[in-house]
């Protein structure tokens, strides 16, 4: 069995503060250790369930958050910024199943801890073939386009509910319950990581519960930005069309182009947002 593990940070056990997500922020180094601990719980369960290979990708920000010196030595780790497929980098059709750890709810979801879609503030809403989409739908869709099902997701309760709404009775573990975007009732990380281990073990021993998200081509991604400047700049990319003062659309038959374009969008939007400061 070949297992892919995508690890984000906002849904990691114990974390609720944006400072803990940002290099140089108060609590960030400890946040990286907790992120690695959650990842290791999933990796250990995968190998105990019979996995022959586990590939882990660091899916948060610059992709330099998982501690390479603390990660389970049996896996391989994909890390670093500007990976072409970002949160899905390293995944291909040879994998049996994808696991998502540390994931969060999409932008605007009530009680979603650190909720957002792809970027912290620049994207108001994102739509995939007319359906509102967060990172869970986007990454499950990418895996599905390769024929790979999703077997497990860990994150805050809102993320778990989003995953089940999308995929049905897929195995999930909620490590915290949001009170607001920046506040939550958290399960202490030691116990949360035990729950992740147990959840992954259950999932990998019951492949009938794995869910493949099969979306029909062509794929149309519409993005509602928080800034006319971002929309205008992104609409200069060949194939991207403006569909309103703050919205852009892109259609393709290749799902990988959706994921790759989001990476380009993030680079452009991040630069404009930082330059614009309070107007970004």
């Amino acid at each position: 069995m070949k297992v892919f593990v995508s690890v984000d940070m906002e849904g990691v056990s114990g974390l609720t503060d944006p400072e803990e997500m940002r290099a140089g922020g108060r609590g960030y180094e400890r946040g990286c250790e907790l992120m690695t601990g959650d990842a290791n719980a999933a990796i250990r369960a995968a190998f105990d369930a019979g996995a022959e290979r586990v590939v882990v990708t660091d899916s948060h920000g610059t992709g330099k958050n998982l501690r390479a010196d603390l990660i389970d030595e049996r896996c391989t780790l994909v890390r670093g910024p500007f990976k072409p497929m970002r949160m899905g980098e390293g995944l291909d059709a040879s994998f049996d199943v994808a696991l998502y750890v540390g994931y969060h709810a999409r932008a605007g979801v009530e009680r979603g801890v650190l909720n957002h879609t792809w970027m912290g503030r620049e994207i108001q809403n994102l739509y995939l073939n007319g359906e509102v989409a967060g990172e869970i739908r986007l990454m499950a869709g990418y895996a599905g386009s390769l024929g790979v099902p999703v077997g497990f997701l860990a994150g805050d309760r809102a993320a778990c509910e989003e995953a089940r709404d999308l995929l049905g009775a897929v195995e999930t573990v909620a490590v915290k319950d949001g009170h607001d975007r920046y506040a939550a009732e958290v399960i202490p990380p030691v116990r949360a990581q035990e729950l992740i281990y147990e959840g992954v073990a259950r999932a990998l021993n019951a492949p009938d519960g794995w869910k493949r998200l099969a979306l029909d081509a062509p794929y149309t991604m519409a993005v509602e930005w928080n800034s006319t400047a971002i929309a205008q700049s992104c609409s200069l990319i060949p194939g991207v069309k403006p569909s309103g003062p703050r919205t852009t659309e892109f259609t393709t038959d290749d799902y990988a182009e959706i994921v790759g374009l989001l990476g380009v969008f993030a680079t452009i939007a991040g630069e404009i947002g930082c330059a614009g400061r309070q107007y970004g």
Side-chain angles (χ1 to χ4, degrees), residues 32-267:
C32 291
E33 293 175 1
L34 293 174
M35 182 183 181
T36 307
D38 283 13
N40 278 342
I43 297 164
R44 183 164 56 90
F47 279 113
D48 287 352
E52 296 174 351
R53 187 177 181 207
V54 177
V55 176
V56 181
T57 194
D58 188 326
S59 296
H60 179 71
T62 61
K64 299 184 290 184
N65 314 281
L66 287 170
R67 288 281 300 272
D69 57 330
L70 298 179
I71 201 81
D72 191 307
E73 63 184 15
R74 295 170 292 178
C75 77
T76 54
L77 174 62
V78 180
R79 70 187 304 271
F82 307 116
K83 301 183 292 291
M85 292 294 104
R86 301 295 174 111
M87 301 177 79
E89 186 71 19
L91 179 64
D92 59 39
S94 69
F95 284 84
D96 295 290
V97 64
L99 313 178
Y100 300 142
V101 175
Y103 270 54
H104 55 83
R106 61 178 173 79
V109 171
E110 187 177 9
R111 297 168 70 95
V113 182
L114 298 161
N115 61 61
H116 66 279
T117 298
W118 206 257
M119 303 189 72
R121 61 179 180 174
E122 289 82 0
I123 293 177
Q124 297 288 96
N125 283 296
L126 187 148
Y127 300 89
L128 189 59
N129 287 1
E131 297 286 338
V132 66
E135 292 165 28
I136 296 171
R137 181 184 288 272
L138 286 165
M139 288 298 101
Y142 179 52
S145 74
L146 297 170
V148 179
V150 176
F152 174 83
L153 182 139
D156 68 297
R157 187 169 301 281
C160 292
E161 291 173 356
E162 188 175 323
R164 290 194 297 272
D165 287 345
L166 177 65
L167 299 168
V170 68
E171 187 76 38
T172 63
V173 166
V175 300
K176 51 195 170 189
D177 190 0
H179 288 196
D180 200 348
R181 196 182 190 203
Y182 304 122
E185 181 179 351
V186 304
I187 297 173
V190 170
R191 184 152 54 92
Q193 289 162 14
E194 291 174 353
L195 294 174
I196 292 170
Y197 175 89
E198 293 166 359
V200 171
R202 283 193 303 271
L204 296 187
N205 283 298
D208 289 347
W210 302 351
K211 306 295 181 182
R212 176 175 171 259
L213 182 61
L215 302 176
D216 295 329
Y219 311 107
T220 295
M221 177 178 65
V223 181
E224 178 189 356
W225 301 97
N226 75 342
S227 162
T228 54
I230 294 173
Q232 185 175 20
S233 293
C234 289
S235 67
L236 296 175
I237 300 171
V240 178
K241 299 178 180 179
S243 55
R246 292 191 295 112
T247 57
T248 56
E249 282 193 4
F250 175 74
T251 299
T252 178
D253 288 325
D254 183 355
Y255 197 100
E257 291 186 352
I258 294 286
V259 181
L261 181 62
L262 277 167
V264 177
F265 276 174
T267 301

